[in-house]
Amino acid sequence: MNTFTAPEIDYVAIAPILIVAIAALLSVLTETFLPRSVRRPVQMILTLISLIGALIVLVINRDIRTITGGGAVAIDGPALVLMGTILILALLSAFLVAERSLDSLGDSFAPSAAALPGSVDEREFSARGYFQTEIWTLFLFAVLGMLAFVVANDLLFMFVALEVMSLPLYLMVGMARRRRLLSQEAALKYFVLGAFSSAFFIFGAGLVYGFAGSISLPEINDALASTAGETLLIVIGMAMLLVGLLFKVGAVPFHQWTPDVYQGAPTPITAFMGATVKVAAFGAMMRLLYVAFSGIQWDWEIILWAVSILSMIIGSLIALTQSDVKRMLAYSAIAQSGFILVGVVAASPSGISAVMFYLIAYGLVTVGTLAVISMVRDSTGEATHLSKWAGLGKKSPVLGAVMAVFMLSLAGIPLTSGFVIKFSVFAAGIAEGDTWLVIAAVVASIIAAFFYVRVIVVMFFSAPNENTASVAVPSIFTTITVAATVTATLVLGIIPQPMIDLLTNAGIFIR
Amino acid sequence: MTVMPAEGLFSLMWLLIALPLAGAAILLFTGRRSNAWGPYLGVLTVSASAVIGVLLLIEMMGLPTEERTITQVAYQWVFIGNFSVDLAFQLDQLSMVFILLITIVGSLIHIYSLGYMAHDPDKRKFFGYLNLFVAAMLLLVMANNYLLLYVGWEGVGVASYLLIGFWQQKRSAAAAAKKAFIINRVGDVGLSLAIMLMFVTFGSVTFSDVFGSATQASEGTLTAIGLLLLLAAAGKSAQFPLQAWLLDAMEGPTPVSALIHAATMVTAGVYLIARSNVIYNNAEIAAMAVIIVALITIFMGAIIGSAKDDIKKALAGSTMSQIGYMMLAVGLGPIGYVFAIFHLLTHGVFKAGLFLGAGSVMHGMNDNVNMRRYGALRSVMVITFITFMAGYLAIIGIPPFSGFWSKDEIIHAAFERGWFIGGAAVLAAGITGFYMTRMVAMTFFGKKRWETDAHPHESPAVMTIPLIILGLGSTFLGMALLFWGDIEAWLEPVVGYESEPTPLPTSAYIGITLAFVIVGSIIGWITYARREVPIEAPQGNWLTRAARKDLYGDAVNHALVVAPTNYAARALVWFDARIVDGFVNGSAAIVGGLSGRMRRTQSGFIRSYALSMVGGAVLVLLALVLVRI
């Protein structure tokens, strides 16, 4: 019997993750021991400081390339970039979570998510002016899971990270203050289907282990390289792992939770998960495919080809007939996953940097768009129906202009980041010979342009009427997020070269 | 010919353009606030340019002849591959005379406008546009390459458009502005094509490069360039077949008609051809085309001028005709270039004087332009009458008034080319005598035919002083330029000059011309001063009726261009609406229908979502397994 030897752990290299982990634990203690009145400021400060601190440490660590934790954790260029992206997007979303000026009742979250909707308890909690503070704890754990997800270098750690990321998200989705039934239904759906997809993932991991005799990604690759014969077992295992990950990014046909969750979740949480889960899941997917399964590239390329085309076309098509802005964004997210997959399929250094650029720019636009949506309100809360946006651009030109920038970026119009990222993934695709895939992507972009531009048309070319929503005045929090995201969208669109250079220098996934 | 860099006083040449341009910018951007002081600023900038122009002339006269071409490069303007153009100015004898004409006549007209536009609520805008025009026109004549010239060319076009339509609340003025702009576009296309052809042929659009290597190009290419430049010139100078806009352009304020549509802008075509003399000297067919266009226009303008009752339109017809003379002279080649410019200068002065005189008359007659309601004004507007008479004698070519010297030289040069061309020029001179006498007789002589509420009076000093100066110019400028200024020797280095022998002595041609002019004038006098002028225009013969309709220029344009364009546009609209939109809308409908169907897959039931996931996973696995087998 082997004796257990503790693995070497490079604490400096994983310091950003540790900081968030410690903050998450402190956050639990805060909920437990501090009085209700001080919890909110403490939680907020804890979250913001830990995210910023992690970001600072990450920048200091920028030159570290190592595999540590007994091979479970890989810190390489893409991992650093993706962690940084997650931290920045989480920080911008945290501002939205902190916002309390938009809703007359307070923030976006139910005072007590456990109280039945419409019950006496619920009214009681509202009347007492309670506020939800556990959301911060969940938020920090979700960020922790994401950070771990993109550095996970073996299947087991990857699965643990996946669950640490997902479980808090399921809860947060169900915490909306208004339209609580919708929110809870979405949470339940997300949870059940998420558990289902996790089952695929863990089953796939088992099959792969059965083939390779190891859960370490580099060792799986070695096992593939040294096996001359039948590889069906590992191919099936790989496909099931992919199903688990494709579910997380909302790719067709594993996408159907997306619209319900986007619509039901509190808008700050939609912004948070819409932006960061994609970064984490695509990061893990690329590591898994490039590090462990490069030997069967031909097999997973076929799957991703098909999923990519289906996601782009079906996402864009269904988005055409959506009348709810958040649902429309959900289908847009499905289509955008398809566009990102074009870069993943390319499987080249330029493809990796294109995908990372896509994730950064798309994440910023997503957070910004949902921040704008959280400001558009009528008497019943957020006014997400498109008919209530009629003439909004004339009523509030600044908000209209900002939303227009985001929509143009999503549609991929030049001078916004959306053009640059679409161009880079398409260019990477063409360079690797995926011309037909890119042609499909361009067709889907044309279809998608319609519903993005329609928002602009509705805002600026219809007259405001009595149904038109009003724009709530946000506090400094939402203002920072909107200003930062719109500036980044324009700057990345006009001078993308520094970012392209940075991502190109980040290099590839290490083994 | 050596090109000298701009040093000393010449380094200020950019100011010539910059001053009026700055004036235009200030006037147009400060808005109503500048209504009070704006007009004076406008006058000031142009006068300052005029002073600089005179100083530069004095400086240039001190230089030896071969060093009188000076360039100033502001910066490299366009740089694409091997196509490079500088924003650079060239000052030589030819541009010098234009600068003086533009700035001095421009200053006088600016001053006159102080009075004429005194009560207009938008006068700062008027002066802003006038300044813009002066800047653009100076750019046109000072550019050292065709591309920059084109900028000025378009700039004067824009200024002309804005000023013709200055009273845009009048539908007719707005329509006239559009008409002028659109017809000019046709000519502008010619210029831009010519510039492209030059670049393809010579690899450069700089004057010195193009002219330096012109002889190496084939005659066919040069002919094409020459014809395209002629098209451009015909548009800007209202020559046949692009003449139709000039008569309508009289809708603009009278100072505009004087400055832009008589003295300066409409002569840009003559400048263009004189500047490009090297090309025409090597392309006989193009030069011949210039002569033909010029002869047709001389007669068209003269006939139209003989029939119009509107004093400004009659003068506009005369402008067409006189520019025709200049075009004729440039078409004649080296025997004519110098005299074309000479006539251009004298005409610029006396025609500006005539227009301002007409404006002064209108000013006193409640803006009525109908000469049939004038008559016997010589005693109530003495200064206007005397200065107008100076212009009259100049334009019909009575010695020693300035038009005599310049027109006589052109007619003489025409006879050097042949009897037919010379004879036509003399005949047209006779018609000039007729229509100008008619104008003077109807306006200043005969009986009063005034409207009942008209109280004619002399204009204020701010208007009459420019008239006096221009009247003096009409009288003496010809002699001054010919005998004191030695215009032939001055311009010869730039445009070349040679003389050919003619069968008859010079005095014989002068005699013939004068005889025709006097006969024409006497007929005019008998018809319009001795007899009663009816207030209602009589029906007239067929030629009069045709001339009143601008010799059917509009009808021809309509039949040949407007109607076919309308039909083509309608056909394209149909094609766009039915075929293109049909395709686009059809595919949109298909996509939308698909969307509506697919949307139903989103049932909201978690069980169907899970089923779809399982289905997807099974499909993925099946595909992978099937591919392996």
Side-chain angles (χ1 to χ4, degrees):
Chain A
M1 189 177 160
N2 294 337
T3 51
F4 175 77
T5 41
E8 288 277 313
I9 294 177
D10 184 345
Y11 289 104
V12 175
I14 62 167
I17 307 176
L18 287 180
I19 291 174
V20 177
I22 292 167
L25 294 173
L26 286 177
S27 171
V28 174
L29 296 177
T30 308
E31 277 305 306
T32 318
F33 294 112
L34 288 187
R36 187 179 288 279
S37 54
V38 298
R39 279 184 212 159
R40 183 171 181 274
V42 171
Q43 293 280 31
M44 255 172 62
I45 290 164
L46 189 63
T47 307
L48 296 183
I49 286 182
S50 64
L51 292 178
I52 293 170
L55 206 52
I56 292 170
V57 174
L58 196 72
V59 173
I60 296 169
N61 279 0
R62 64 185 174 278
D63 291 325
I64 293 182
R65 305 280 186 277
T66 180
I67 292 183
T68 181
V73 175
I75 306 287
D76 51 18
L80 291 167
V81 169
L82 292 166
M83 281 199 287
T85 310
I86 290 169
L87 287 169
I88 290 171
L89 294 174
L91 190 64
L92 293 170
S93 315
F95 288 134
L96 300 183
V97 175
E99 176 66 57
R100 280 172 84 176
S101 314
L102 293 175
D103 199 314
S104 55
L105 301 176
D107 56 18
S108 311
F109 307 103
S112 168
L116 284 175
S119 67
V120 180
D121 287 353
E122 190 192 32
R123 279 200 293 279
E124 180 87 347
F125 284 122
S126 294
R128 288 194 195 169
Y130 284 1
F131 282 102
Q132 178 70 262
T133 46
E134 288 99 337
I135 192 91
W136 296 101
T137 316
L138 297 169
F139 188 89
L140 280 171
F141 273 110
V143 174
L144 171 64
M146 290 168 191
L147 294 178
F149 205 26
V150 295
V151 299
N153 202 34
D154 74 35
L155 291 176
L156 204 57
F157 186 41
M158 195 176 266
F159 182 69
V160 172
L162 173 67
E163 292 304 309
V164 172
M165 167 181 94
S166 302
L167 289 169
L169 285 175
Y170 301 147
L171 283 173
M172 290 196 284
V173 166
M175 285 190 172
R177 179 185 282 273
R178 294 168 183 269
R179 303 195 185 89
R180 292 196 55 205
L181 281 174
L182 205 61
S183 172
Q184 294 189 345
E185 184 191 327
L188 191 67
K189 278 180 185 168
Y190 192 21
F191 171 63
V192 172
L193 294 173
F196 196 40
S197 78
S198 294
F200 274 100
F201 188 92
I202 197 72
F203 193 8
L207 290 176
V208 170
Y209 178 71
F211 176 89
S214 168
I215 52 167
S216 159
L217 302 188
E219 284 172 26
I220 294 168
N221 187 52
D222 297 341
L224 258 177
S226 58
T227 309
E230 184 52 63
T231 54
L232 187 58
L233 187 62
I234 191 169
V235 167
I236 292 175
M238 176 275 295
M240 295 180 84
L241 288 171
L242 264 187
V243 169
L245 292 173
L246 290 171
F247 172 85
K248 285 292 162 200
V249 301
V252 178
F254 317 105
H255 66 286
Q256 285 176 309
W257 57 275
T258 326
D260 295 356
V261 171
Y262 266 60
Q263 191 183 17
T267 304
I269 300 305
T270 311
F272 171 58
M273 62 173 289
T276 51
V277 170
K278 269 212 171 58
V279 180
F282 271 112
M285 188 190 297
M286 286 197 290
R287 184 179 299 284
L288 189 71
L289 293 176
Y290 300 161
V291 176
F293 296 119
S294 58
I296 46 171
Q297 184 175 358
W298 203 80
D299 291 287
W300 55 257
E301 270 191 359
I302 290 190
I303 304 176
L304 294 187
W305 251 78
V307 171
S308 169
I309 292 181
L310 281 175
S311 303
M312 293 185 295
I313 300 288
I314 292 183
S316 302
L317 273 180
I318 304 189
L320 287 181
T321 42
Q322 298 303 315
S323 49
D324 183 285
V325 183
K326 276 169 92 178
R327 273 187 97 80
M328 186 208 87
L329 272 184
Y331 285 105
S332 131
I334 293 166
Q336 301 278 354
S337 281
F339 293 129
I340 301 174
L341 281 172
V342 174
V344 177
V345 170
S348 60
S350 68
I352 295 174
S353 61
V355 168
M356 289 195 294
F357 197 172
Y358 208 114
L359 292 169
I360 294 167
Y362 172 72
L364 289 167
V365 170
T366 304
V367 173
T369 311
L370 285 151
V372 170
I373 290 173
S374 73
M375 285 190 258
V376 179
R377 291 178 172 263
D378 60 14
S379 56
T380 60
E382 284 169 13
T384 52
H385 200 277
L386 207 50
S387 65
K388 296 191 174 167
W389 287 55
L392 202 65
K394 293 177 183 162
K395 250 170 116 175
S396 331
V398 176
L399 179 124
V402 169
M403 188 70 179
V405 169
F406 290 141
M407 288 297 118
L408 292 176
S409 180
L410 285 171
I413 305 296
L415 294 187
T416 63
S417 58
F419 171 75
V420 183
I421 57 180
K422 273 214 177 71
F423 180 82
S424 359
V425 293
F426 293 176
I430 293 215
E432 294 301 308
D434 300 319
T435 313
W436 285 105
L437 183 60
V438 173
I439 289 173
V442 170
V443 171
S445 309
I446 295 169
I447 300 174
F450 172 81
F451 56 82
Y452 294 128
V453 174
R454 186 176 61 177
V455 176
I456 301 176
V457 171
V458 167
M459 285 194 303
F460 286 99
F461 298 98
S462 338
N465 54 39
E466 69 276 10
N467 281 331
T468 301
S470 52
V471 174
V473 180
S475 70
I476 183 78
F477 293 119
T478 304
T479 313
I480 289 175
T481 300
V482 170
T485 48
V486 76
T487 310
T489 302
L490 289 173
V491 169
L492 290 178
I494 295 166
I495 32 174
Q497 200 56 43
M499 182 57 96
I500 291 172
D501 293 341
L502 175 80
L503 295 176
T504 311
N505 293 335
I508 54 164
F509 292 91
I510 58 171
R511 289 214 163 93
Chain B
M1 188 175 65
T2 48
V3 176
M4 309 295 291
E7 281 162 356
L9 196 59
F10 289 112
S11 58
L12 292 179
M13 69 165 93
W14 61 276
L15 272 177
L16 283 171
I17 300 172
L19 283 172
L21 194 63
I26 293 170
L27 288 178
L28 294 178
F29 287 120
T30 51
R32 284 187 195 290
R33 269 159 291 179
S34 57
N35 235 355
W37 48 267
Y40 299 101
L41 178 74
V43 173
L44 195 69
T45 54
V46 177
S47 316
S49 279
V51 170
I52 296 175
V54 171
L55 291 175
L56 289 181
L57 173 72
I58 295 166
E59 190 79 3
M60 184 182 270
M61 285 161 77
L63 290 175
T65 310
E66 62 274 15
E67 289 177 11
R68 284 178 179 171
T69 301
I70 297 138
T71 32
Q72 182 176 40
V73 180
Y75 58 90
Q76 191 172 45
W77 177 34
V78 182
F79 185 74
I80 309 162
N82 57 354
F83 178 65
S84 141
V85 182
D86 291 336
L87 198 136
F89 308 124
Q90 173 173 329
L91 194 65
D92 58 14
Q93 294 93 326
L94 181 60
S95 41
M96 196 68 236
V97 296
F98 268 91
I99 289 167
L100 292 173
L101 174 72
I102 296 160
T103 55
I104 294 175
V105 174
S107 302
L108 292 175
I109 289 171
H110 271 73
I111 294 168
Y112 176 91
S113 304
L114 287 177
Y116 193 84
M117 301 298 285
H119 304 298
D120 197 284
D122 286 323
K123 55 185 171 182
R124 50 114 194 15
K125 206 160 78 179
F126 179 80
F127 281 86
Y129 292 156
L130 271 189
N131 267 3
L132 178 68
F133 167 76
V134 171
M137 188 75 201
L138 286 170
L139 183 66
L140 197 168
V141 298
M142 284 174 66
N144 93 329
N145 60 69
Y146 279 98
L147 197 66
L148 194 59
L149 178 146
Y150 190 46
V151 174
W153 188 270
E154 292 295 320
V156 295
V158 169
S160 157
Y161 166 79
L162 292 169
L163 285 165
I164 295 171
F166 184 74
W167 287 319
Q168 76 257 41
Q169 63 274 18
K170 270 165 62 185
R171 282 183 70 87
S172 55
K178 276 190 277 185
K179 185 174 176 185
F181 198 74
I182 291 168
I183 294 183
N184 264 292
R185 297 307 306 165
V186 179
D188 297 347
V189 169
L191 182 52
S192 64
L193 288 177
I195 294 173
M196 292 176 211
L197 196 52
M198 282 178 208
F199 174 65
V200 170
T201 314
F202 306 111
S204 169
V205 294
T206 312
F207 291 151
S208 51
D209 294 344
V210 172
F211 303 149
S213 47
T215 45
Q216 289 156 24
S218 70
E219 197 181 331
T221 312
L222 291 176
T223 305
I225 294 175
L227 290 175
L228 288 167
L229 290 176
L230 172 62
L231 181 65
K236 199 57 90 192
S237 295
Q239 299 294 293
F240 177 82
L242 300 177
Q243 83 289 351
W245 63 272
L246 184 64
L247 293 156
D248 290 345
M250 296 301 127
E251 289 290 343
T254 305
V256 171
S257 311
L259 177 60
I260 301 183
H261 305 118
T264 54
M265 185 190 83
V266 284
T267 60
V270 180
Y271 169 78
L272 183 69
I273 292 178
R275 177 57 83 188
S276 314
N277 58 73
V278 180
I279 288 172
Y280 287 93
N281 292 346
N282 291 291
E284 236 172 75
I285 298 173
M288 193 39 123
V290 175
I291 294 178
I292 294 168
V293 164
L295 284 177
I296 294 174
T297 316
I298 291 174
F299 281 99
M300 280 184 82
I303 292 168
I304 292 171
S306 305
K308 288 284 179 185
D309 292 329
D310 177 329
I311 185 168
K312 284 180 73 181
K313 293 202 171 175
L315 279 173
S318 130
T319 304
M320 272 170 64
S321 177
Q322 295 300 314
I323 295 173
Y325 272 109
M326 302 169 207
M327 294 292 276
L328 173 66
V330 289
L332 293 173
I335 55 175
Y337 292 128
V338 169
F339 304 122
I341 304 300
F342 184 24
H343 192 54
L344 192 155
L345 292 172
T346 56
H347 172 261
V349 171
F350 66 66
K351 186 53 72 64
L354 287 170
F355 260 109
L356 294 188
S360 178
V361 171
M362 287 160 56
H363 199 70
M365 298 294 286
N366 297 343
D367 286 329
N368 194 342
V369 290
N370 188 353
M371 290 190 288
R372 293 190 183 275
R373 303 312 297 259
Y374 293 170
L377 288 171
R378 65 180 182 280
S379 51
V380 284
M381 305 183 173
V382 179
I383 300 174
T384 305
F385 169 64
I386 294 170
T387 55
F388 203 92
M389 287 309 287
Y392 161 71
L393 293 170
I395 192 172
I396 63 173
I398 300 293
F401 292 90
S402 61
F404 162 75
W405 307 101
S406 53
K407 194 192 280 183
D408 178 65
E409 296 281 14
I410 292 178
I411 290 170
H412 191 246
F415 274 110
E416 286 177 36
R417 181 54 62 87
W419 277 102
F420 176 74
I421 299 173
V426 168
L427 181 61
I431 304 176
T432 309
F434 169 75
Y435 68 71
M436 285 311 297
T437 309
R438 169 178 179 268
M439 185 186 296
V440 169
M442 286 174 87
T443 306
F444 294 104
F445 295 93
K447 289 190 180 142
K448 292 177 189 172
R449 300 179 301 277
W450 307 344
E451 306 242 1
T452 44
D453 58 344
H455 304 289
H457 54 84
E458 186 54 280
S459 298
V462 72
M463 289 167 73
T464 50
I465 289 170
L467 281 179
I468 294 167
I469 296 172
L470 289 170
L472 291 172
S474 309
T475 314
F476 299 111
L477 185 68
M479 285 183 284
L481 285 175
L482 199 59
F483 300 120
W484 179 70
D486 201 2
I487 185 92
E488 290 164 32
W490 175 259
L491 288 172
E492 195 263 317
V494 184
V495 293
Y497 174 61
E498 58 193 52
S499 174
E500 284 173 19
T502 47
L504 294 175
T506 308
S507 53
Y509 296 113
I510 296 176
I512 294 169
T513 311
L514 279 177
F516 269 87
V517 169
I518 289 165
V519 168
S521 304
I522 289 171
I523 296 173
W525 180 259
I526 291 171
T527 322
Y528 291 97
R530 306 297 290 277
R531 288 189 210 149
E532 191 81 1
V533 178
I535 289 175
E536 288 301 318
Q539 198 193 8
N541 58 17
W542 63 271
L543 188 59
T544 312
R545 290 197 298 275
R548 282 191 191 132
K549 290 185 175 160
D550 307 347
L551 295 179
Y552 303 114
D554 287 339
V556 170
N557 282 345
H558 188 87
L560 288 184
V561 182
V562 178
T565 309
N566 275 339
Y567 283 121
R570 265 182 230 143
L572 282 174
V573 165
W574 179 87
F575 182 79
D576 190 57
R578 294 294 168 84
I579 312 292
V580 178
D581 286 5
F583 178 75
V584 172
N585 293 343
S587 46
I590 291 170
V591 169
L594 274 177
S595 174
R597 292 242 166 104
M598 278 190 195
R599 185 176 180 180
R600 286 186 212 144
T601 58
Q602 192 76 24
S603 58
F605 293 122
I606 196 166
R607 55 179 184 266
S608 60
Y609 292 2
L611 187 65
S612 135
M613 279 177 67
V614 173
V618 167
L619 276 180
V620 164
L621 295 179
L622 266 184
L624 288 176
V625 172
L626 285 176
V627 164
R628 307 224 137 205
I629 297 166

